[in-house]
Amino acid sequence: MNQAPSKSPPLILADQGFFWTGIHRQHTPNGTIASGQMFVQFQIPERVLHPYPIVMVHGGGGQGLDFLGTPDGRPGWATYFLRQGYAVYVVDRPGHGRSPLHPEALGPMTPPLAYEPAMTLFTAPGKQPNAWPNAQKHTQWPGTGVIGDLTLDQFIAGQGPFLVFLAQTQQLMQNAGAELLDRIGPAILLTHSMGGPFGWLVADVRPKLVKGIVAVEPLGPPFAQLPMGLGDLSYGLTTIPMTFSPPVKSPTELGRETRKPSKIGLADCFVQTEPARQLPNLSSIPVAVVTSEASAWSMQDHGTVDFLVQAGVQAAHLRLEDHGLRGNGHLMMQERNSDEIAAFLERWISEHVVEEQA
């Protein structure tokens, strides 16, 4: 798409490049192949003003380019945070984007995202019948959001399939994410949607290397059963085990009960039965769960926050509309006011992530 030249000053980098983590050598009838790898793109600004880099983790069937630009051609969140003096690492989770997905390496995959469910969930929910009540407030998609919209074409073109089994997906990204932090050191994790468990799982195995988590509408709500036979969040926030105190040998040991929301119109969600088991490896990490006004997640993200707080995590719920950021959907990093949202998130990071010498 055509885009007017940027009026911003040139962005000067000290370094940029890429590498892979999580590589597993797998023997097949065709020879030894690499599987489970995660592509990592990095850019380091000329003036690094913050000790901890930002690691950006995409959701669903997307890829790292979700943070590199918007479908109407504007710079994305990666560029915004670079301009604020952060080193930025953008990943393609295993089996997505530049991290190859092939059945011989990783097993069966889902179909790619079609236009119709994308319109319903992401780009034009208010124009679809039987949508959730807040869908009518969605105004920030940079186009019509329906078939024929060139910005929708740009979004759909980057969407691919993903692995059928959620447990496999989460184990692969935990392995690759832990290896990433072992390589680059302490970092702040900014996750989105199905990439949300990346934050919980990597923090669980590398708690001293995760300095903050910004979870944008993460996979949920707790204990959810996912469609298409993908699996369920049997450990509350994840499908694979996390470190609980007292320990959990089986997810059946996590009792659950329904909690009514504090506001009318939101969904009932599960939390643990009391006394709730704690998540000790996440207890000292500041967490923000970020929710837009008009997405389906606006009805359920409070459940994720309730689960985290009950488990001893310092979690804040940042509802964009409470801070004057109105009309957004699930793809807030792609929408018209993406820079304003990035600025809001950067302020939260500056206020809550203690910048000790890395």
Side-chain angles (χ1 to χ4, degrees):
M1 298 181 68
N2 293 329
Q3 174 70 15
S6 174
K7 296 181 181 179
S8 301
L11 178 60
I12 302 175
L13 301 178
D15 196 12
Q16 66 177 352
F18 65 89
F19 54 88
W20 278 269
T21 64
I23 301 169
H24 172 69
R25 300 184 192 96
Q26 181 173 323
H27 298 291
T28 76
N30 294 319
T32 304
I33 63 172
S35 69
Q37 64 266 44
M38 182 173 76
F39 179 88
V40 182
Q41 171 183 319
F42 67 89
Q43 292 180 299
I44 314 296
E46 181 183 44
R47 296 184 62 216
V48 176
L49 303 178
H50 307 278
Y52 306 129
I54 307 281
V55 176
M56 298 187 177
V57 184
H58 66 87
Q63 50 188 294
L65 60 81
D66 292 348
F67 295 107
L68 299 182
T70 66
D72 58 335
R74 291 173 290 114
W77 281 5
T79 299
Y80 183 89
F81 278 88
L82 281 166
R83 290 191 178 279
Q84 309 314 306
Y86 291 89
V88 175
Y89 292 76
V90 177
V91 310
D92 289 354
R93 294 190 289 109
H96 298 269
R98 291 162 288 190
S99 302
L101 175 56
H102 191 282
E104 188 170 336
L106 296 176
M109 62 185 77
T110 68
L113 179 66
Y115 278 78
E116 289 79 8
M119 291 188 295
T120 298
L121 280 173
F122 306 138
T123 66
K127 300 176 183 177
Q128 311 304 313
N130 303 317
W132 54 94
N134 284 0
Q136 302 300 323
K137 299 178 181 179
H138 186 231
T139 60
Q140 292 287 358
W141 182 256
T144 64
V146 300
I147 293 176
D149 173 17
L150 296 181
T151 62
L152 177 57
D153 289 339
Q154 291 292 309
F155 168 69
I156 291 290
Q159 300 299 301
F162 47 88
L163 296 174
V164 165
F165 303 114
L166 196 60
Q168 179 191 17
T169 294
Q170 293 184 4
Q171 190 63 66
L172 288 171
M173 64 185 181
Q174 183 183 50
N175 295 345
E179 184 179 328
L180 170 60
L181 295 195
D182 288 341
R183 177 165 177 166
I184 70 173
I188 299 161
L189 306 182
L190 193 163
T191 67
H192 179 229
S193 196
M194 284 187 73
F198 184 107
W200 321 135
L201 291 166
V202 173
D204 193 42
V205 294
R206 297 293 187 273
K208 294 183 179 180
L209 296 181
V210 177
K211 296 302 180 181
I213 300 173
V214 177
V216 176
E217 302 203 339
L219 184 66
F223 300 109
Q225 178 75 44
L226 274 72
M228 300 188 296
L230 294 173
D232 57 27
L233 300 179
S234 53
Y235 286 90
L237 301 178
T238 62
T239 303
I240 64 174
M242 292 188 67
T243 302
F244 283 92
S245 179
V248 171
K249 295 181 179 179
S250 164
T252 58
E253 297 178 22
L254 286 175
R256 65 185 76 174
E257 64 183 17
T258 301
R259 177 178 291 181
K260 296 288 185 181
S262 59
K263 294 182 179 180
I264 296 175
L266 302 182
D268 296 348
C269 292
F270 286 119
V271 294
Q272 295 184 66
T273 53
E274 296 287 355
R277 284 176 161 84
Q278 303 294 283
L279 290 168
N281 291 346
L282 275 66
S283 63
S284 62
I285 300 171
V287 172
V289 174
V290 184
T291 305
S292 70
E293 180 178 34
S295 80
W297 279 253
S298 69
M299 313 298 291
Q300 65 186 37
D301 269 355
H302 62 277
T304 298
V305 178
D306 286 349
F307 184 95
L308 287 165
V309 171
Q310 186 190 36
V313 181
Q314 306 171 45
H317 194 184
L318 307 181
R319 299 193 70 104
L320 295 184
E321 69 269 26
D322 293 341
H323 301 274
L325 297 161
R326 311 302 298 264
N328 288 101
H330 187 54
L331 300 173
M332 61 182 75
M333 71 289 297
Q334 307 251 309
E335 297 192 321
R336 288 190 180 101
N337 60 345
S338 57
D339 276 359
E340 287 82 359
I341 296 171
F344 170 64
L345 300 184
E346 200 278 326
R347 287 194 298 273
W348 184 88
I349 291 170
S350 297
E351 292 170 4
H352 292 86
V353 176
V354 177
E355 292 192 347
E356 301 170 351
Q357 185 61 40

